[in-house]
Amino acid sequence: MSARDLLPLILVLAVLAALPFLGLSGSALNFLVTTLIIALAGLGWNVLGGFGGQYSFGHAAFFGTGAYATAVLQMKFGWNAWGALGAGIGLGALVGLAIGYLSFRAGLRGSYFALVTLAFAEVFRILANTADITGGAAGLLLPLRPGVASLQFADRRLFYLLVLAFVGVALLASRWLERSRFGAHLIAVRENEEAARALGVDALSVKLRAIALSAAITAAAGGLYVQYFLYLDAGVAYGTWISVEALLAPIVGGIGTAFGPLVGALALQGLGEVTKHLAGGIPGVDLVVFGACLIAVIAFAPQGLLGLRRRRRTVPVGA
Amino acid sequence: MLAVDSLTKRFQGLVAVDRASLGVPAGSITGLIGPNGAGKTTLFGMISGFLPPSEGRVLFEGEDVTAEAPHLRARRGIARTFQIVQPFAGLTVAENIAVGAYLRHPRRADAVAKAREVGLRVGLGDQLDKPASDLTVAGRKRLEVARALATEPRLLLLDEVLAGLNPSEIRDILPVVRAIRDGGVTILMIEHIMQAVMTLCEEVFVLAQGKMIASGPPRQVCADPHVIEAYLGKGAAARMKAEEIAHA
């Protein structure tokens, strides 16, 4: 990758890194951390769904695995928080490989693949809700232990920067996908799997590597989530909410682009926050707005918000 | 270079290809012709690894590749085009070709350079940065060839690259095919356009109803009564012979 490829990335990260030092309120910082965690989960989804064209409805399976592994390894096995987070990411990738192996080997695509991933996430949710090791329906409460070793910071800005660092790595990985042989193969499989195979692309292996990377990034989001909120139950970890957030952000922001998930997460979460403010106490009103946004984006801007900008620059032939 | 040894493909009860054999010598342009539904594309599918044969073997440079997946055959040096063109519609022409070029050039800069060079060679030079979906039918056929060629194959399987083109477009693409062969790539082509087969191919195999019914130099094959009957129906050869005598 050349310096020119990396410049926008560095600029965006620099601006985001400066944000919390502008005297934001606690709730504003809270909002930013949540948004970045969702953006990270979306960046993970985008690797498989955006670049690879394999739409998962069950990225909660990876988010939850990362979250539970991070929490359980600390609480029940006395692991260090950093080690637990690392293991959570690795375990997420393994779960991704397993789900990918089962569904891609069977040749599942499109809505069939989406349904299978949804089913896996639901199975995990139900299991986590009953198993002892996950705390069952009561969930897990991570003990408060501020300190770098336990990955809990008294100053929330530090945690924000940590999440931002993860987002930076995920953005770098996405950028690399846009510029590498592996990325080209992945996009080729998305566009036309038969043709890709004829050109020497091992479609199964490409998809498996993509789902492992995708799951690892989303698992990192899960691990960071539990480190921030210090509480986890099956509905949070494996609930459909995160599967939906993880796919909405890239679709709204710009599917299959490096910055799409980040832009989408900021736009959607910001919009949700504003609606909650304006509509007052109507529960779930932000979800209604999300739904309306999704319909609007798919109908009028299938390339997402970033696509709108690009379309203005190059008018397609025949338009 | 390529030897196909009594390949058979059954789809349930239907025998699409029935113990068909053919050989392609290195450095040649060999044709595969036959009426619609004869099983030509099915045979291609088995040679390139997309369809597992029910019986028979495929040998590439003396090695049995019958059970190998398509991407492994591509790495060995077998490339194919599709009769129904399969562009990566969301990508530009150059990006399409680069996917093929990445097979031998892992670095992006090398792959892109190779893609541009191949694009130029097949006559897509001024359209490299267009979206592939903007190409005309003739352009898409060229793109199919370019992508396959970018994998730097030793054997190129062309599945009706001339179909759907008008006569002037055909005239333009014939030298491209010949230049590919002169560049050291052996070619096996399925073609319907007899004029092209006559001018390009050194040897032709004729498939009819799944069976290989004739082979030889194009002129000889076209005069073969079996071949005439396969195309025009039973008794056609005799009728034509009689007409010829009557005219004489």
Side-chain angles (χ1 to χ4, degrees), chain B:
Chain B
M1 166 161 268
L2 176 76
V4 169
D5 181 16
S6 30
L7 271 186
T8 300
K9 181 69 190 176
R10 286 187 214 95
F11 296 105
Q12 269 98 39
L14 176 83
V15 184
V17 175
D18 188 3
R19 281 166 289 159
S21 299
L22 64 80
V24 179
S28 71
I29 301 183
T30 303
L32 176 61
I33 64 170
N36 286 324
K40 303 184 295 293
T41 296
T42 305
L43 187 58
F44 252 39
M46 291 190 283
I47 296 173
S48 55
F50 280 85
L51 284 171
S54 311
E55 279 162 39
R57 294 190 308 157
V58 179
L59 301 173
F60 180 63
E61 294 185 323
E63 284 187 67
D64 191 334
V65 297
T66 318
E68 248 179 29
H71 68 271
L72 296 177
R73 294 189 207 200
R75 283 177 205 170
R76 275 183 189 276
I78 303 179
R80 73 168 292 181
T81 67
F82 289 90
Q83 180 182 3
I84 302 160
V85 291
Q86 313 269 7
F88 303 126
L91 308 184
T92 66
V93 171
E95 286 169 337
N96 262 271
I97 307 174
V99 174
Y102 269 122
L103 183 64
R104 316 265 180 227
H105 303 276
R107 286 192 47 238
R108 178 181 154 85
D110 302 343
V112 170
K114 174 78 191 170
R116 296 198 157 262
E117 177 222 313
V118 172
L120 223 59
R121 224 190 317 154
V122 301
L124 285 171
D126 48 353
Q127 317 199 54
L128 284 170
D129 296 313
K130 270 197 197 171
S133 49
D134 284 0
L135 290 179
T136 60
V137 174
R140 286 171 197 215
K141 297 274 184 183
R142 281 174 195 263
L143 179 57
E144 280 284 319
V145 176
R147 254 184 355 193
L149 211 52
T151 66
E152 294 169 42
R154 274 171 300 164
L155 174 66
L156 181 59
L157 306 170
L158 299 176
D159 193 350
E160 293 205 31
V161 282
L162 306 180
L165 304 189
N166 66 37
S168 79
E169 287 165 337
I170 292 174
R171 218 168 28 241
D172 291 343
I173 209 164
L174 288 183
V176 173
V177 175
R178 204 173 280 127
I180 293 170
R181 192 271 305 271
D182 295 341
V185 181
T186 307
I187 295 176
L188 173 62
M189 59 192 300
I190 293 180
E191 205 43 74
H192 267 306
I193 311 216
M194 286 313 288
Q195 172 215 351
V197 175
M198 292 294 210
T199 50
L200 284 176
C201 300
E202 283 113 35
E203 191 166 15
V204 176
F205 288 84
V206 188
L207 198 65
Q209 298 188 343
K211 290 195 172 71
M212 209 61 90
I213 57 167
S215 68
R219 298 219 167 272
Q220 180 192 324
V221 162
C222 285
D224 187 322
H226 291 107
V227 177
I228 296 170
E229 295 201 344
Y231 275 93
L232 300 177
K234 213 162 170 55
R239 224 169 23 249
M240 280 167 72
K241 194 90 188 158
E243 274 171 32
E244 234 172 78
I245 293 167
H247 278 295

Side-chain angles (χ1 to χ4, degrees), chain A residues 224-284:
Chain A
L224 291 170
Y225 182 95
V226 72
Q227 281 305 125
Y228 188 68
F229 291 102
L230 302 178
Y231 173 74
L232 197 63
D233 69 14
V236 169
Y238 289 124
T240 37
W241 75 278
I242 187 64
S243 296
V244 171
E245 296 274 13
L247 71 87
L248 268 186
I251 290 177
V252 169
I255 191 163
T257 62
F259 286 107
L262 184 60
V263 171
L266 283 169
L268 279 173
Q269 297 305 315
L271 197 65
E273 212 52 34
V274 170
T275 350
K276 267 193 269 184
H277 233 72
L278 294 180
I282 308 170

